[in-house]
Amino acid sequence: MATLILPYVFINNMASGELVSACAEPDRRGVVGRDGEVRTYGEGRRRAVSQVGRIENLTVRLVQVPGSSKALLEEWEGEHVMYRDDRGRRIVGVYWQLDDREYIADKQRYNVGFVLQGVTWSEAVPS
């Protein structure tokens, strides 16, 4: 049986449906957790206070991205995007800034990085 492995990631703008696809560095780092803090109360008692919900952040670096795709990613800062990769991961989230570097071998391409912060997203049809 043949297995298809796509080294690409796909980023869709949720409002317009536009797509950017590019190769990604294999060492994508994800952080999953909860929001919370430790508070001090009367007589020095300390308690953990957490918030409902999960945090899901993913650090991504795309390599050899054409200038046109970089321009689209810049336009989408602060907008909802869907991220999909070759591991079957699918995250709807927002990124606030891009970290871009010129690709040395080709002046028309860039290496682009961002931190995608996952948001709660429902695909259910409202009744």
Side-chain angles (χ1 to χ4, degrees), residues 24-125:
E25 288 185 352
D27 61 341
R28 297 180 291 263
R29 292 181 297 152
V31 175
V32 179
R34 294 188 184 276
D35 260 341
E37 63 182 309
V38 175
R39 295 184 187 166
T40 303
Y41 293 98
E43 297 181 11
R45 291 187 310 264
R46 296 177 54 88
R47 300 287 184 258
V49 178
S50 64
Q51 296 181 358
V52 177
R54 303 280 298 163
I55 296 173
E56 188 170 18
N57 293 339
L58 183 65
T59 302
V60 180
R61 177 159 297 282
L62 307 176
V63 294
Q64 299 186 32
V65 176
S68 59
S69 294
K70 178 183 163 282
L72 272 177
L73 291 170
E74 287 174 353
E75 283 181 31
W76 298 348
E77 290 172 351
E79 296 185 22
H80 288 105
V81 296
M82 178 182 287
Y83 166 91
R84 293 173 291 144
D85 66 13
D86 58 331
R87 294 178 170 258
R89 225 179 335 204
R90 184 176 69 170
I91 302 171
V92 175
V94 175
Y95 58 90
W96 301 104
Q97 58 190 4
L98 291 178
D99 172 26
D100 66 349
R101 296 182 184 150
E102 292 179 354
Y103 185 66
I104 295 172
D106 184 354
K107 298 289 185 193
Q108 303 300 319
R109 295 186 178 270
Y110 298 86
N111 291 346
V112 178
F114 57 88
V115 177
L116 183 67
Q117 298 176 331
V119 299
T120 303
W121 186 266
S122 175
E123 296 184 32
V125 177

